């Protein structure tokens, strides 16, 4: 899996060179970071539509991997330093306050795990895990000009439980139009509700599946590393790529649901920006 993550770099690098020659860098995003998508160009509407393909872990802790094609892009409306957006199953708002601070909040829907997510029958007898509405709160703080370095804090909370993410990142070769490479690292923490949703086995599940009954405490979940890439191939067509490698903590690794000590994914796609 590591080979897949790192071999994508030369391919995207070549496209980066192509895009830097042929793209018209006229767009001015809210912040110049590849991970903060902005299809607007100043005030008004911005729309981007496309597709992405991902190769990723079939579920949390899975040793199986699958390919998945998903829609990409979204609809946005910007006024000054505020962007209201709809992307996938989330709607939200982000704003820049006093330049070095970025705040974001969104309302989304988190789908649960199904027994059929494992083609090898690893989830048989566990039933479906809870799905539910979630609220995301995020704060980023720039540590250098043009967001070259930044700190990031996120809290995801809802019916499924609570997840906290604390990280830092750097933007490499980023341009004012929000293109370039972004590399980050983060640690995550979960409460007992979310921990047991993903990795716990209750009494009934133990009887039905044959797995030992398992209760996961709240606390440290994982350490992750991620890469984001974005570039314009011309004035309207945009290519993006992302990769994630997440290493689980000991409590998660010891769960009978965890067949791997890590979760990984890699994706690439195209978006047409209107």
């Amino acid at each position: 899996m590591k080979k897949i993550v790192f071999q994508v770099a030369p391919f995207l690098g070549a496209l980066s060179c192509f895009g830097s020659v042929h793209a018209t860098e006229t767009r001015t995003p809210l912040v110049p970071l590849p991970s903060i998508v902005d299809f607007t160009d100043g005030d008004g509407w911005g729309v981007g539509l496309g597709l992405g393909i991902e190769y990723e872990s079939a579920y949390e802790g899975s040793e199986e991997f699958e390919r998945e094609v998903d829609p990409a892009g979204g609809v946005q409306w910007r006024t000054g330093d505020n962007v209201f957006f709809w992307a996938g199953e989330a709607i939200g708002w982000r704003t820049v306050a006093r330049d070095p601070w970025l705040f974001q909040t969104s309302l989304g829907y988190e789908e649960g795990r199904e027994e059929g997510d494992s083609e090898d029958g690893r989830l048989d007898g566990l039933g479906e895990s809870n799905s539910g509405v979630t609220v995301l709160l995020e704060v980023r703080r720039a540590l250098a000009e043009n967001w070259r370095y930044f700190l990031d804090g996120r809290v995801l909370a809802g019916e499924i439980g609570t997840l906290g993410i604390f990280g830092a990142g750097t933007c490499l070769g980023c341009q004012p139009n929000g293109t370039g490479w972004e590399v980050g690292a983060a640690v995550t923490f979960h409460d007992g509700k979310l921990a047991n949703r993903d990795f716990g086995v209750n009494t009934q599940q133990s009887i039905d599946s044959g797995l030992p009954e398992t209760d996961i405490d709240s606390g440290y979940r994982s350490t992750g590393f991620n890469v984001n890439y974005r570039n314009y191939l011309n004035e309207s067509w945009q290519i993006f790529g992302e990769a994630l490698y997440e290493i689980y903590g000991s409590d998660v690794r010891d769960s009978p649901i965890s067949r791997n000590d890590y979760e990984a994914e890699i994706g690439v796609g195209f978006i047409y920006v209107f």
Side-chain angles (χ1 to χ4, degrees):
M1 190 61 199
K2 288 184 180 179
K3 290 183 179 179
I4 296 176
V5 171
F6 291 118
Q7 284 177 354
V8 74
F11 169 69
L12 293 179
L15 288 172
S16 175
C17 293
F18 176 85
S20 63
V21 173
H22 295 276
T24 304
E25 298 183 357
T26 58
R27 298 184 183 274
T28 305
L30 192 64
V31 292
L33 292 177
S35 62
I36 304 295
V37 185
D38 189 344
F39 301 127
T40 67
D41 183 18
D43 288 355
W45 289 96
V47 179
L49 297 176
L51 287 175
I53 182 170
E54 295 181 343
Y55 184 69
E56 60 185 353
S57 302
Y59 57 91
E60 301 274 2
S62 173
E63 62 184 353
E64 304 166 56
F65 288 84
E66 63 181 12
R67 294 178 182 87
E68 184 174 328
V69 177
D70 293 313
V75 178
Q76 302 171 339
W77 183 71
R78 180 172 170 183
T79 174
D81 290 331
N82 298 276
V83 173
F84 300 88
F85 61 88
W86 169 49
E89 297 178 333
I91 57 173
W93 162 73
R94 66 175 63 103
T95 185
V96 171
R98 297 187 179 180
D99 192 40
W101 291 95
L102 173 70
F103 296 93
Q104 175 171 297
T105 182
S106 63
L107 185 69
Y109 185 79
E110 186 76 16
E111 296 183 357
R113 183 190 62 217
E114 300 179 357
E115 290 187 6
D117 289 343
S118 172
E119 295 184 357
D120 295 340
R122 303 292 193 183
L123 301 174
D124 289 354
L126 295 177
E128 298 183 5
S129 63
N130 295 334
S131 302
V133 175
T134 58
V135 176
L136 173 69
L137 301 175
E138 178 177 2
V139 179
R140 290 198 188 193
R141 173 64 160 85
L143 300 178
E145 188 177 358
N146 296 322
W147 292 81
R148 178 66 184 274
Y149 302 101
F150 60 88
L151 297 176
D152 184 38
R154 280 168 280 172
V155 175
L156 181 74
E159 302 169 71
I160 63 171
T162 303
L163 179 73
I165 305 172
F166 306 94
T170 181
C171 205
L172 305 175
C174 289
Q175 302 300 314
N177 65 350
T179 60
W181 293 88
E182 185 181 320
V183 180
V187 293
T188 66
F189 301 85
H190 51 197
D191 67 356
K193 186 174 182 179
L194 181 61
N196 285 289
R197 169 190 181 264
D198 293 336
F199 302 104
V201 180
N202 62 34
T203 302
Q204 188 60 53
Q205 289 175 324
S206 178
I207 295 171
D208 294 341
S209 67
L211 297 176
E213 191 170 345
T214 304
D215 183 72
I216 308 292
D217 293 330
S218 60
Y220 173 70
R221 181 183 179 100
S222 64
T223 297
F225 306 91
N226 63 278
V227 178
N228 283 277
Y229 170 82
R230 193 172 301 276
N231 197 29
Y232 281 97
L233 299 179
N234 55 41
E235 187 174 353
S236 297
W237 281 101
Q238 188 182 100
I239 184 174
F240 66 90
E242 52 191 16
L244 169 70
Y245 186 76
E246 186 178 1
I247 306 167
Y248 293 131
S250 58
D251 286 350
V252 173
R253 291 199 303 266
D254 292 341
S255 165
I257 294 177
S258 297
R259 305 286 178 165
N260 250 342
D261 294 344
Y262 66 89
E263 178 183 357
E265 68 176 66
I266 185 170
V268 64
F270 295 88
I271 296 175
Y272 184 84
V273 181
F274 292 86

